[in-house]
Amino acid sequence: MAYSACFLHQSALASSTARSSPSSSSQRYVSISKLVCKAQQTHEEDNSTVSRRLALTLLVGAAAVGSKVSPADAAYGEAANVFGKPKKNTDFTAYSGDGFQVQVPAKWNPSREVEYPGQVLRYEDNFDATSNLNVMVTPTDKKSITDYGSPEEFLSQVNYLLGKQAYFGETASEGGFDNNAVATANILETNIQDVGGKPYYYLSVLTRTADGDEGGRHQLITATVNGGKLYICKAQAGDKRWFKGANKFVEKAATSFSVA
């Protein structure tokens, strides 16, 4: 009896829908809900296993009809990367050299220019060669970078990294420059860290010239000793570009440098 009654109600629902003008989806959901309740009520009265199964089937069907997946939500979910897809960092490229590795800005190109002794690697910004990365490897009798003294003392022994003054005429003391000096270097920060059981020196230096080119240059230097060799990584950018976003590329390159 319960099985027939349910199908009679379903038929009536379809006929009613066909005769009337198109109605909203909410009205159809209400009719299905009434049908489910009717089936449940019949189950309680008849204690019929068939009625219970039919009521459960109709209830799941009503839920499926009432639940609509929004395409916009699904598209938003994909764009928001909520499904666990790893996001690849395309700003840097890993470079492995002879005994060292470093992260190179992806938009920088390799350069054949040799500027420093022992230089084994050089990359430059595509749009501005002032922003560049250099790696130098030279023999040393030191066992550790700390054998060079403090970071400041070490820098004084490799000051060729900062460039040399080319003009030696007489000049007045102005603009922060001493008499007869057209270039200056200021150490902004030094740091010593242990990486893989080896001490590393990190130095941040701002160099300026009297011509005001780029407003100065930020130079980040990372240095360590390994296997009888002195490894130096120097990354730099002009002061103007530094504050326009170049700093993140220079800082990442310098701090990522390590020896094997």
Side-chain angles (χ1 to χ4, degrees):
M1 290 295 292
Y3 185 84
S4 301
C6 286
F7 271 94
L8 285 174
H9 280 285
Q10 186 176 14
S11 175
L13 175 64
S15 301
S16 176
T17 303
R19 288 194 302 267
S20 61
S21 59
S23 59
S24 64
S25 58
S26 61
Q27 291 175 329
R28 290 197 294 271
Y29 299 159
V30 171
S31 298
I32 293 175
S33 299
K34 288 182 178 180
L35 181 60
V36 172
C37 293
K38 181 65 176 178
Q40 290 176 336
Q41 185 177 5
T42 305
H43 162 63
E44 293 173 0
E45 293 174 354
D46 299 341
N47 254 336
S48 169
T49 303
V50 176
S51 297
R52 183 175 67 251
R53 290 179 179 176
L54 181 59
L56 180 60
T57 301
L58 293 174
L59 179 61
V60 172
V65 173
S67 302
K68 295 184 179 180
V69 178
S70 170
D73 291 344
Y76 177 82
E78 266 188 46
N81 192 26
V82 298
F83 302 112
K85 297 178 182 178
K87 186 177 180 181
K88 187 176 180 180
N89 186 350
T90 58
D91 290 337
F92 295 88
T93 301
Y95 181 94
S96 295
D98 185 10
F100 69 90
Q101 56 187 8
V102 65
Q103 294 287 327
V104 179
K107 294 185 178 180
W108 290 17
N109 288 331
S111 171
R112 294 183 178 180
E113 179 183 351
V114 178
E115 189 174 358
Y116 308 106
Q119 181 178 308
V120 296
L121 179 71
R122 180 180 175 89
Y123 272 78
E124 297 177 349
D125 189 327
N126 289 355
F127 305 102
D128 175 34
T130 301
S131 299
N132 57 63
L133 167 69
N134 298 271
V135 175
M136 286 70 65
V137 182
T138 55
T140 181
D141 59 354
K142 310 296 185 184
K143 302 299 182 182
S144 170
I145 191 68
T146 56
D147 293 338
Y148 286 92
S150 66
E152 293 82 359
E153 291 172 331
F154 165 74
L155 184 61
S156 68
Q157 299 174 60
V158 293
N159 56 11
Y160 58 85
L161 295 174
L162 306 179
K164 294 184 178 180
Q165 180 170 308
Y167 176 78
F168 294 96
E170 295 185 1
T171 60
S173 174
E174 60 181 357
F177 295 93
D178 295 333
N179 289 331
N180 305 324
V182 293
T184 183
N186 297 306
I187 299 177
L188 303 180
E189 183 181 359
T190 64
N191 192 13
I192 305 174
Q193 291 187 17
D194 185 279
V195 180
K198 297 182 182 299
Y200 283 68
Y201 280 175
Y202 298 92
L203 300 99
S204 175
V205 183
L206 175 62
T207 59
R208 296 188 301 122
T209 56
D211 61 6
D213 182 35
E214 275 289 333
R217 299 182 182 186
H218 288 265
Q219 307 193 43
L220 302 187
I221 300 171
T222 302
T224 192
V225 170
N226 185 46
K229 295 179 180 179
L230 171 62
Y231 290 83
I232 300 176
C233 173
K234 184 174 83 75
Q236 71 169 32
D239 187 62
K240 293 179 181 178
R241 287 174 175 78
W242 177 270
F243 291 106
K244 291 182 179 180
N247 62 308
K248 71 175 184 177
F249 297 104
V250 174
E251 290 171 348
K252 174 66 174 181
T255 57
S256 70
F257 180 79
S258 64
V259 297

